[in-house]
Amino acid sequence: MVLEITTQQIVVLTIMAFIFGLDYIWVTPLGIWRPLIAGTLAGAVLGDPITGLIIGALLEFTFAGLFTIGGGTVPEASSGAIAAVTVALATGLPPTAAVPLAIPLAVLTMNIEIFVRSFDAVFTHWADRAIERGNLNMIPIINILGAVPWGLSRAIPVAGLTGLLAVNPQAVQAAVDALQVIHVGPFTIRFWDAMAVAGGVLPALGAAILMRLMINRRNVALFILGFALAAYLKLTLVAIALIAGALIFFIYYNRYSQIFEGSLAEKQSGGLERPNHSSDTSEGGYGLAETKRILTKSDIYKAFWVSWFIQSSWNYERMMGTGFLHGMLSIEKKLRRSFEELKSWLRLHNEFYNTEPHLHNAIYGIAIALEERNADQDTVRGVKTALMGPFAGLGDSIMWFTILPIAFLLGASLGAQGNPLGPVVALAIWIPVSWAVKYYSLVYGYRYGLSLAEILRGDVLKVFRDATADFAMAIVGGIAATYVRASTPLILGEYGGQALKLQPVLDQLMPSLLSLIFVLYAYYLIKVRGYGYGTAVIILFVTAFILALIGFLG
């Protein structure tokens, strides 16, 4: 049954898209901008949450590993999910045929986001003027308002698409029906069938992106293990995660037990306690004397909540600078003795700054601790500059390219089967872990100061990062075998009065072989040929679409 979209539904979907933009730029505290959640919520608004869930899950596989780092941009997932779900329900297309329709709007939103990243420098300069004029209470408002263009970059395309679908639904349906079967001379083209086949292949891109980021000689065996468990034993992604997790824990604990036990012994012996310095001792070579605490627990709790806005006015000029200024405002008000001194420190914190927004809190906590102990501006600036690069690489690899994909891919493995527990599982992993990392990074950064930086760059965290990457590769192997859907209907000939089909022959050689070939093809496009993700997804789609049109895939 084809859906007629109402004005109320357009408004709700537009507001939802705006909120998804805020969730994204405010460091994903809820995770609702991910396709798995966005698709389910869009389906609920349009009256069919299960179809929304399935499309969102398929898109989660496609967009896995797609995340912006530094100043880069990638196709935007939430607007694409809303678009695919809306078109599917408005026209009656099956979920796999609707998946490719997410790409155009996702790419459009990506290009609008490039404009936003330039435009938001307006808020940074506004904050400069607020400091000079002494309008310090405007700084939080300015930084938070910087998120509005990010929300609009999602809301405007969604409003435009849903509005167009609602203006003349009969014409839209007629266009969809006209493309169902197209006769070109002696050829018959089944357009939407080919779209469905191409949509089933697109998750190969998500698997390839994660492989590009994490695969190496050490963990390629775990990719093969995950693939084999799914292809030969038909295990679910959750079962593969349990097996791989237990195996990796056993291997790493036995291989690196001395590192873990040494770290535990250091902690038990007080090695991580905040040093009790005398007036002539120093921390980290900065010559800072231990002083009486000025800040309270409530100040640190407030700093934690404000830290979610670190990216709120992110722009190409100073990136997270105004977010750092916002976070330090209440701290500086307590530490500074004169208004001019306060303004001087606020100017410092509105300078260029950029790192991973969860581990930012460690740098944030260290900066607070240093300033509370009367560090000068050159010291604080030097610490921020020295740590933001290493912490960016560490945080991106752990949070955005390991924990977030694992959480939402496990959820998507359930969602693709129409299981409503899929979004619950994803959020039950992501929200507690991401909040804990952000909170304890701040608390320990403040408590232990520069010694925390040494721990985060030490052996224990490196081992943890390697282990999570290995675990992710096992999951990616399972995805390649299970959720990249590629098969061929070709008939090789007849034998004994029966058709000899190619697909059973391939299955005897290796189940899910074509799926693996498409994953390796996508990996070749982005790793060897160096194509951007937007270009790679188009090439992958066109390849699968043409192969479906000529009858090789089906």
Side-chain angles (χ1 to χ4, degrees), residues 229-253:
L229 290 174
Y232 288 95
L233 301 183
K234 308 302 180 185
L235 296 185
T236 66
L237 213 57
V238 175
I240 294 171
L242 292 174
I243 293 171
L247 178 62
I248 290 167
F249 177 81
F250 175 79
I251 292 172
Y252 272 80
Y253 185 81

Side-chain angles (χ1 to χ4, degrees), residues 275-485:
N276 182 19
H277 298 286
S278 62
S279 61
D280 60 351
T281 57
S282 64
E283 180 178 341
Y286 287 102
L288 302 177
E290 183 72 18
T291 59
K292 183 179 179 180
R293 292 298 182 98
I294 300 172
L295 303 175
T296 64
K297 287 184 178 180
S298 63
D299 293 321
I300 303 304
Y301 291 149
K302 181 179 179 181
F304 167 71
W305 290 109
V306 173
S307 73
W308 290 105
F309 303 119
I310 181 63
Q311 296 187 137
S312 193
S313 54
W314 197 103
N315 61 80
Y316 283 128
E317 183 176 328
R318 297 189 212 167
M319 298 195 174
M320 297 178 179
T322 304
F324 204 107
L325 166 68
H326 181 189
M328 291 300 293
L329 178 62
S330 62
I331 302 296
E332 300 295 358
K333 283 182 176 179
K334 292 198 70 171
L335 297 179
R336 305 306 155 200
R337 297 180 177 85
S338 71
F339 195 65
E340 288 305 314
E341 182 187 16
L342 172 60
K343 288 168 62 176
S344 177
W345 278 92
L346 294 179
R347 291 187 197 102
L348 164 69
H349 291 307
N350 203 28
E351 295 175 355
F352 176 89
Y353 174 80
N354 195 50
T355 193
E356 195 282 320
H358 291 89
L359 291 192
H360 147 74
N361 279 27
I363 302 174
Y364 186 26
I366 291 169
I368 293 171
L370 290 174
E371 291 194 30
E372 190 180 28
R373 297 176 59 200
N374 298 320
D376 60 32
Q377 291 191 8
D378 287 340
T379 296
V380 174
R381 180 185 288 113
V383 168
K384 288 170 61 178
T385 302
L387 295 181
M388 63 182 183
F391 279 31
L394 178 64
D396 288 338
S397 64
I398 291 177
M399 298 304 300
W400 302 113
F401 299 128
T402 304
I403 294 176
L404 184 138
I406 287 173
F408 284 91
L409 289 174
L410 288 175
S413 70
L414 298 174
Q417 304 169 39
N419 189 332
L421 287 178
V424 176
V425 168
L427 297 181
I429 298 172
W430 171 251
I431 292 177
V433 172
S434 62
W435 280 62
V437 170
K438 197 160 177 62
Y439 176 75
Y440 286 107
S441 292
L442 173 63
V443 170
Y444 290 147
Y446 174 65
R447 183 180 301 171
Y448 303 131
L450 291 170
S451 60
L452 178 66
E454 297 303 317
I455 295 170
L456 289 177
R457 290 187 289 188
D459 291 336
V460 173
L461 206 61
K462 181 182 182 300
V463 169
F464 173 77
R465 182 174 56 186
D466 290 344
T468 53
D470 293 354
F471 178 75
M473 279 301 97
I475 298 297
V476 171
I479 291 170
T482 307
Y483 296 103
V484 179
R485 299 170 181 174

Side-chain angles (χ1 to χ4, degrees), residues 126-136 339-340 343 347:
W126 187 4
D128 285 335
R129 293 192 297 271
I131 293 171
E132 298 308 319
R133 295 171 182 173
N135 299 328
L136 304 186
F339 195 65
E340 288 305 314
K343 288 168 62 176
R347 291 187 197 102

